[in-house]
Amino acid sequence: MAEAEAPERRGGGTEEIAFEEAGLRYEVDGEIATITLNRPGKRNAQTFATWSALAGIGENLPERVRVVVVKGEGPSFSAGIDLRMFTPEGVPGQGSFGSVARQDSDSLDRRIEQAQQGFLWLRRPEIVSIAAVQGHAIGAGFQLALACDLRIVADDVRFCMKEPALGLVPDLTGTKPLVELVGLAKAIDLCLTARVVEAQEAYRIGLAEQVVAPAELARAAHDKAAQLLSTNRDAAVATKRLLQGARLRTLEEQSAAERTEQAARLRALFAGS
Ligand code: ACO
């Protein structure tokens, strides 16, 4: 068997990203990229720098990467937005919500859109993203887990959509996957009460694919990545594209989409034979 490729500290093109300021660690090992929220002392609280670095990783993701694992160092996956954002001083070098709120509408919209870029790319058909979630996943932390295709959780997980309790809405691309995963009524319940969802409920309502002991979380994410890598790459991309579009299409449209994708697969598989 070929020797495993030594993990790279970073993927190509990401040298300019301020990982430390963002509170992130990033490694690419062959076809797997791992993003680690890495401010455990602050429960992996997120800032504008975190979201901008996440977007940078997405923009520079090496083509060979098929699986992206998102995890958090320490006892919590992420305690959500850095609460210093709510203070007049804000986060040094990044401002505060107060300063952002005073911007004109276009600038404010752009600022939020920039933050969302850190989350949107995790759904690309070319990759499967796995959130490995332990402890608290609050607000932006919950939404980061929701941005991933799959969630494997430790049995101590505590999801909480806290934004409405703070006078905000969840705006980091989390509302759509939440509704799609748990349904509208449950999503309203979770968001408008800001209550905590623990592991067994998360599994029961479809927020988590798998629940494991905290000590098994890294292994479980790795095993899932290995399973995902065992299928044909191009077929996996085409199938994810089909599945993602299924909800938006009628049965007839979806059947047509299946034919189109399969025709391309068959041509590729039997080219030259
Ligand atoms: N922003 C900044 N610092 C934080 C945050 C945060 N969101 N969460 C925790 N910290 C810091 C604490 O201030 C503390 O720092 P210190 O040691 O310098 O005093 C350190 O992380 C540890 O926090 P504890 O509260 O001691 O850790 P514990 O494990 O007991 O509790 C918990 C964890 C439940 C996550 C708690 O810290 C908490 O409730 N944090 C705030 C969660 C929150 O309201 N997030 C905003 C959600 S809304 C959104 O994301 C848009």
Side-chain angles (χ1 to χ4, degrees):
M1 204 205 287
E3 213 173 296
E5 199 178 331
E8 294 165 22
R9 173 100 175 80
R10 313 246 161 102
T14 58
E15 292 78 9
E16 303 306 313
I17 299 175
F19 286 98
E20 194 151 332
E21 185 193 7
L24 292 181
R25 208 167 63 230
Y26 173 54
E27 288 158 345
V28 178
D29 185 5
E31 294 173 301
I32 303 176
T34 304
I35 300 170
T36 307
L37 300 163
N38 193 30
R39 272 209 306 152
K42 296 292 177 189
R43 300 299 180 264
N44 301 324
Q46 302 172 36
T47 63
F48 283 124
T50 312
W51 304 326
S52 150
L54 285 171
I57 291 172
E59 278 162 27
N60 292 287
L61 197 72
E63 246 178 62
R64 67 177 184 282
V65 170
R66 292 183 61 188
V67 176
V68 177
V69 176
V70 182
K71 63 190 184 74
E73 195 66 55
S76 299
F77 177 73
S78 172
I81 197 160
D82 191 316
L83 292 174
R84 288 177 300 172
M85 295 290 296
F86 293 96
T87 65
E89 304 77 36
V91 176
Q94 299 187 48
S96 68
F97 274 138
S99 55
V100 169
R102 283 189 293 276
Q103 293 176 346
D104 63 70
S105 299
D106 283 352
S107 307
L108 183 51
D109 187 74
R110 237 186 346 267
R111 195 73 198 258
I112 298 172
E113 191 180 17
Q114 277 167 0
Q116 291 172 333
Q117 296 307 316
F119 296 67
L120 283 170
W121 66 271
L122 289 159
R123 286 92 165 184
R124 269 185 215 155
E126 292 75 22
I127 58 168
V128 178
S129 48
I130 305 171
V133 190
Q134 83 287 7
H136 290 95
I138 304 177
F142 191 0
Q143 294 192 71
L144 183 57
L146 285 167
C148 293
D149 295 309
L150 306 176
R151 280 148 298 281
I152 299 178
V153 304
D155 59 20
D156 66 350
V157 78
R158 292 174 71 78
F159 288 113
C160 172
M161 198 65 91
K162 197 164 177 187
E163 285 82 346
L166 300 174
L168 299 169
V169 301
D171 66 344
L172 295 168
T173 78
T175 54
K176 187 171 169 67
L178 183 65
V179 170
E180 290 176 353
L181 287 167
V182 306
L184 179 59
K186 187 64 75 182
I188 289 173
D189 169 23
L190 300 189
C191 294
L192 274 60
T193 62
R195 71 177 176 84
V196 168
V197 179
E198 296 188 359
Q200 287 315 318
E201 183 183 7
Y203 182 69
R204 185 165 45 78
I205 66 178
L207 269 182
E209 275 62 49
Q210 202 179 337
V211 180
V212 298
E216 297 300 318
L217 187 60
R219 162 64 52 192
H222 184 270
D223 288 352
K224 183 57 68 184
Q227 288 169 14
L228 289 162
L229 293 177
S230 72
T231 54
N232 175 284
R233 179 185 190 127
D234 295 332
V237 173
T239 303
K240 183 172 170 189
R241 215 166 26 222
L242 267 179
L243 296 173
Q244 284 182 314
R247 212 181 307 243
L248 303 171
R249 299 192 192 103
T250 63
L251 180 59
E252 290 70 25
E253 289 165 346
Q254 183 70 2
S255 303
E258 288 175 2
R259 294 196 298 275
T260 304
E261 293 284 12
Q262 194 69 306
R265 291 280 66 240
L266 288 167
R267 283 196 196 98
L269 285 175
F270 296 99
S273 67

